[in-house]
Amino acid sequence: MSRPPDMLQGMLDLLILRVLQHEPMHGWAIGNRIRQLSDEVLQVQQGSLYPALHKLEEQGWIEATWGESENRRRAKFYTLTAAGRRRVTEETAHWQRLSAAIALVVRTT
């Protein structure tokens, strides 16, 4: 069974927003943090990460500023906007309801 692309994209958006709740990060660090927090299970490819960041920026949920990364390279740092903070709260609640419902189905079948 294939996974609907919009479901996967929604999950990636939520992961990015959740990671940015704690501090501004550049793209590589966001992907790395998701990998670390998922115990190496989730590995976000650049071809998925950067389009998602661009989309979130267009929607006004994150904003980007140029800065210097830890290895002294120029990088775009992303941070949540006020709208992004509201959105992450809404999406987290939605994900918790959805995952609880899926768990019920999986347990009873």
Side-chain angles (χ1 to χ4, degrees):
M1 180 170 139
S2 65
R3 295 179 207 143
D6 57 336
M7 181 183 237
L8 293 175
Q9 184 62 49
M11 290 180 359
L12 178 56
D13 292 351
L14 176 58
L15 295 173
I16 292 169
L17 293 173
R18 292 288 297 186
V19 166
L20 290 176
Q21 271 187 303
H22 303 287
E23 64 182 303
M25 289 185 175
H26 55 81
W28 182 85
I30 293 168
N32 192 46
R33 188 71 178 137
I34 291 170
R35 183 180 53 75
Q36 289 172 344
L37 290 172
S38 71
D39 288 332
E40 311 293 322
V41 173
L42 302 175
Q43 305 215 3
V44 182
Q45 303 300 314
Q46 288 184 5
S48 299
L49 178 63
Y50 289 99
L53 287 168
H54 182 71
K55 184 187 80 159
L56 292 171
E57 191 174 7
E58 283 182 342
Q59 291 171 320
W61 297 338
I62 63 173
E63 58 188 7
T65 55
W66 286 99
E68 192 174 280
S69 69
E70 57 279 353
N71 62 2
R72 305 181 69 93
R73 291 190 177 163
R74 190 166 144 81
K76 238 184 191 184
F77 282 79
Y78 299 91
T79 188
L80 284 181
T81 62
R85 285 189 291 279
R86 286 189 300 274
R87 183 65 180 191
V88 74
T89 300
E90 294 165 5
E91 287 299 315
T92 299
H94 175 72
W95 172 253
Q96 289 169 337
R97 284 190 308 276
L98 181 61
S99 61
I102 291 169
L104 286 171
V105 173
V106 170
R107 266 193 302 245
T108 60
T109 55

